[in-house]
């Protein structure tokens, strides 16, 4: 039996991970946060003392990188690097920019592609990222592109960081978000863009519950649940 897949793409802070997690829970599907995988690569690169923007330094590190992905008893996706659980470490602010840089390297994307596709063959999944509907799962049953104004996304990120007890500044976050959008949208390989057949949802003026309701009805209509 083939598995169902739901692809959710969009820029940082549009609500992808919160919504994807919630949808997966409602549908009984596995949630796969692909950004966490890129973040783990970025962490490994920084720890090796390499420049995340330089393919000549990053590519030789890939083969020896022991990246693990699994799920805790609470169903939360956990990332490992060798024996170490790095689920929290990859959320540090410096990792965001480094992840965006390593993700622009074609060899890094190729390295992670089969792994991501394999997950969709083994499970019913909700997978979020930047190129899921366009590159990773072009035949996904449902494709969604989430967006929101940069200011709304920066506000959400600020709240998220504050809730984790990390210090943050709105102006700096907004600046980073715009810079990351630019990098992610303008890289030559698998740039962030809406797949032609993806449904667009702008969450600027929607709360979580409203966004989730809209997406659930869309998904149920498409896959006939
Ligand atoms: O969603 P996130 O902020 O955790 O993602 C971190 C970086 O990884 C982001 O700047 C772009 C990159 N990324 C990507 O290129 N492709 C994906 N499918 C997921 C993330």
């Amino acid at each position: 039996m083939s598995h169902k897949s739901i692809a959710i793409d969009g820029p940082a802070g549009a609500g992808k991970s919160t919504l994807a997690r919630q949808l997966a829970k409602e549908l009984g599907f596995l949630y796969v946060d692909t950004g966490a995988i890129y973040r783990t690569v970025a962490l490994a690169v920084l720890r090796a003392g390499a420049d995340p923007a330089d393919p000549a330094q990053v590519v030789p590190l890939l083969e020896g990188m022991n990246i693990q992905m699994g799920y805790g008893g609470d169903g939360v996706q956990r990332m490992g690097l060798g024996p170490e659980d790095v689920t929290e470490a990859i959320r540090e602010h410096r990792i965001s920019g480094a992840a965006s840089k390593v993700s622009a390297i074609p060899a890094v994307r190729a390295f992670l592609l089969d792994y991501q596709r394999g997950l969709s063959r083994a499970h019913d999944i909700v997978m979020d990222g930047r190129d899921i509907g366009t590159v990773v799962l072009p035949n996904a049953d449902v494709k969604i592109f989430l967006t929101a104004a940069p200011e709304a996304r920066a506000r959400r990120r600020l709240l998220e960081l504050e809730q984790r007890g990390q210090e943050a500044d709105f102006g700096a976050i907004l600046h980073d978000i715009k810079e990351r959008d630019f990098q992610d949208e303008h890289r030559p390989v698998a740039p962030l863009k809406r797949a032609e057949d993806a449904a667009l949802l702008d969450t600027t003026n929607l709360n979580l519950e409203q966004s989730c309701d809209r997406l659930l009805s869309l998904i149920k209509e498409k896959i006939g649940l």
Side-chain angles (χ1 to χ4, degrees), residues 19-50:
L19 280 165
R21 190 177 303 116
Q22 182 74 24
L23 291 169
K25 200 169 152 195
E26 301 264 353
L27 297 163
F29 288 15
L30 193 68
Y31 166 50
V32 181
D33 169 3
T34 62
I37 311 176
Y38 284 95
R39 284 170 180 272
T40 306
V41 172
L43 180 67
V45 167
L46 292 181
R47 285 193 177 167

Side-chain angles (χ1 to χ4, degrees), residues 21 24 29-34 36-37 68-80 85 87 115 119-120 123-128:
R21 190 177 303 116
F29 288 15
L30 193 68
Y31 166 50
V32 181
D33 169 3
T34 62
I37 311 176
Q68 313 274 346
M69 196 184 116
Y71 290 84
D74 51 4
V76 172
Q77 177 180 328
R78 305 208 69 88
M79 297 305 303
D85 186 320
T87 310
Y115 180 67
L119 290 169
S120 80
H123 309 273
D124 289 328
I125 56 166
V126 178
M127 183 176 270
D128 80 1

Side-chain angles (χ1 to χ4, degrees), residues 12 16 34-36 38-39 91 96 99-100 103 109 116 129-132 157 180 184 187:
K16 287 190 309 287
T34 62
Y38 284 95
R39 284 170 180 272
R91 296 296 150 195
S96 303
S100 182
S103 72
R109 307 202 70 84
Q116 296 173 83
R130 303 294 189 287
D131 62 336
I132 310 305
R157 199 55 120 199
R180 239 175 4 123
D184 295 345
R187 65 180 176 224

Side-chain angles (χ1 to χ4, degrees), residues 34-223:
T34 62
I37 311 176
Y38 284 95
R39 284 170 180 272
T40 306
V41 172
L43 180 67
V45 167
L46 292 181
R47 285 193 177 167
D51 174 359
D54 182 0
Q57 294 183 42
V58 172
V59 175
L61 296 172
L62 289 174
E63 281 308 322
M65 236 176 241
N66 186 6
I67 294 178
Q68 313 274 346
M69 196 184 116
Y71 290 84
D74 51 4
V76 172
Q77 177 180 328
R78 305 208 69 88
M79 297 305 303
L81 191 56
E84 184 188 348
D85 186 320
V86 296
T87 310
E88 270 82 44
I90 57 169
R91 296 296 150 195
E92 272 176 38
H93 185 60
R94 69 190 180 108
I95 304 296
S96 303
S100 182
K101 292 194 175 91
V102 295
S103 72
I105 301 174
V108 171
R109 307 202 70 84
F111 180 72
L112 299 179
L113 188 61
D114 285 346
Y115 180 67
Q116 296 173 83
R117 286 188 177 153
L119 290 169
S120 80
R121 283 191 291 271
H123 309 273
D124 289 328
I125 56 166
V126 178
M127 183 176 270
D128 80 1
R130 303 294 189 287
D131 62 336
I132 310 305
T134 50
V135 177
V136 180
L137 306 176
N139 298 318
D141 296 283
V142 186
K143 296 183 187 178
I144 295 159
F145 194 86
L146 281 183
T147 183
E151 291 72 16
R153 294 190 276 129
R155 259 195 313 278
R156 290 175 193 161
R157 199 55 120 199
L158 182 69
L159 257 174
E160 204 180 289
L161 290 170
E162 284 175 353
Q163 279 164 359
R164 284 203 201 106
Q166 292 177 22
E167 266 189 42
D169 167 70
F170 179 79
I173 293 176
L174 182 60
H175 177 267
D176 283 2
I177 278 191
K178 288 183 172 169
E179 194 170 274
R180 239 175 4 123
D181 283 358
F182 187 88
Q183 278 185 45
D184 295 345
E185 286 164 4
H186 291 84
R187 65 180 176 224
V189 179
L192 168 65
K193 71 164 196 264
R194 176 186 172 193
E196 274 175 23
D197 51 351
L200 178 72
L201 184 69
D202 185 328
T203 65
T204 305
N205 297 309
L206 298 178
N207 65 27
L208 188 60
E209 202 186 333
Q210 292 165 324
S211 307
C212 194
D213 284 350
R214 291 204 196 179
L215 294 180
L216 261 183
S217 35
L218 177 92
I219 292 167
K220 287 182 173 167
E221 190 184 313
K222 288 238 175 183
I223 62 179

